[in-house]
Amino acid sequence: MHNSVVVFDGEMPPEGAAVQVQPLKPQDTTTIPGTVKPKTIWEELLDLQGQVPTLPQDAARNHDHYLYGTPKR
């Protein structure tokens, strides 16, 4: 479903053909061929790991210092 419209993954049935629409539980969508399970926020963040090589070694501990100029810890 997309905006209350049934969207077919493959070939559409001919005009006027009878179809059966059956909702699935959210966990069942991973078994449908062609569907991709969305990444969790943690998986998304892991994809970003190491992407900014110019950060200081203590950036995580002292992020307020680098963002706002507060004293380092």
Side-chain angles (χ1 to χ4, degrees):
M1 297 289 295
H2 184 71
N3 293 328
S4 300
V5 176
V6 175
V7 179
F8 292 92
D9 287 338
E11 188 176 320
M12 285 188 50
E15 188 68 31
V19 295
Q20 182 178 5
V21 177
Q22 182 178 359
L24 300 173
K25 296 176 186 173
Q27 67 269 20
D28 291 343
T29 58
T30 57
T31 61
I32 300 173
T35 60
V36 178
K37 180 182 172 190
K39 289 183 178 181
T40 65
I41 186 67
W42 304 116
E43 291 169 331
E44 292 283 351
L45 289 173
L46 281 174
D47 289 346
L48 297 175
Q49 184 177 355
Q51 296 296 316
V52 185
T54 59
L55 287 177
Q57 292 293 321
D58 62 345
R61 177 187 268 289
N62 292 302
H63 66 281
D64 283 346
H65 169 73
Y66 294 110
L67 292 173
Y68 312 115
T70 60
K72 284 187 174 186
R73 292 185 190 184

